[in-house]
Amino acid sequence: MFEIGMTLQLEQAGIEGTYKCRVCGLEEHAVLVDYPIHQKTGKSIFLMNGTRLKVSFVLKDQTVLECRTGVVGRRMAEIPLIELERPSEEEFKRIQRRHFVRIEAPVDISLRAGEHRIVTVTEDISAGGCAVILREDSGIREEEEVDLFLVLPLQKAHHYLELKGRVNRIWKKNRRVLASIEFVAPDESHKRHIMRFCFEKQLDHRKKGFA
């Protein structure tokens, strides 16, 4: 399941937040990774031998897998490496079964429909579409096609995505006007960026200890 160069997300029981590392080597019973970096603070974490970890990663087909592992040692190469137990394939668990996972997150977005142009934020987002917050007098209508410009904060960089959309529904929630927009024939690279963003947000929101 693991591949050299793959990015892993790590969680440690009792430690808030998630860490990111990269697979640098594979052996029969070990996975060698660089030192994990906290997703928000950018600081590395010191992991003692025996530390138990939950590992999540995304395959090329966007399937998300999860497994348990532990720190068994350290290696000195061109860079310092951590040696993790290599789980068997039977120990992997699929944690993302829906093709498009929807995440509640405010993402900067602009909409253009004819002469109407709106700068707002999303209420939620998935690779298939999003819900955005509108003004009462926005001029946006149901069944209308819109041009979208999305500013996606992914890891330490921002990705700027231009998409086509269709307004499927407009409704009110907690005194706010929301519009549900379906992305129309999105580029595959755009879908991958959005799915990666949703995956990272999922991990950020998961603050519980190991099940």
Side-chain angles (χ1 to χ4, degrees), residues 50-196:
T51 301
R52 300 302 299 174
L53 299 167
K54 181 162 60 178
V55 180
S56 303
F57 57 93
V58 184
L59 299 179
K60 291 180 180 179
D61 65 358
Q62 301 304 317
T63 298
V64 180
L65 297 181
E66 176 184 285
C67 64
R68 300 296 196 276
T69 186
V71 179
V72 295
R74 288 166 181 76
R75 302 277 186 91
M76 286 304 300
E78 294 182 3
I79 59 173
L81 300 176
I82 293 177
E83 181 181 350
L84 304 177
E85 297 173 0
R86 185 169 183 173
S88 65
E89 292 191 7
E90 292 76 18
E91 296 178 76
F92 290 96
K93 174 185 175 183
R94 187 188 300 265
I95 63 170
Q96 179 175 314
R97 298 185 181 276
R98 292 175 55 194
H99 185 56
F100 296 140
V101 174
R102 185 171 294 271
I103 294 294
E104 292 186 6
V107 176
D108 292 334
I109 187 171
S110 67
L111 293 74
R112 185 176 62 195
E115 298 179 353
H116 300 288
R117 182 180 177 87
I118 300 165
V119 177
T120 183
V121 296
T122 61
E123 170 86 356
D124 58 52
I125 186 170
S126 76
C130 62
V132 302
I133 301 172
L134 298 179
R135 302 188 309 270
E136 289 278 1
D137 58 347
S138 67
I140 303 296
R141 300 290 179 262
E142 291 184 353
E143 304 301 325
E144 190 170 27
E145 293 191 355
V146 292
D147 295 316
L148 306 171
F149 186 78
L150 190 67
V151 182
L152 197 66
L154 188 61
Q155 295 182 357
K156 294 184 179 180
H158 286 73
H159 291 266
Y160 302 89
L161 310 183
E162 294 185 34
L163 305 105
K164 298 286 186 180
R166 180 182 299 107
V167 181
N168 287 337
R169 179 187 173 208
I170 295 177
W171 78 103
K172 286 189 176 183
K173 175 184 175 182
N174 299 329
R175 299 183 179 180
R176 294 187 302 174
V177 179
L178 299 176
S180 176
I181 299 175
E182 176 187 357
F183 299 145
V184 177
D187 184 272
E188 285 299 320
S189 65
H190 290 172
K191 288 197 294 186
R192 286 195 297 270
H193 286 317
I194 298 173
M195 292 178 77
R196 172 66 67 174

Side-chain angles (χ1 to χ4, degrees), residues 18-19 35-46 156:
T18 58
Y19 289 80
Y35 271 70
I37 302 297
H38 195 281
Q39 296 263 66
K40 290 186 177 180
T41 66
K43 296 181 179 180
S44 60
I45 185 174
F46 178 78
K156 294 184 179 180

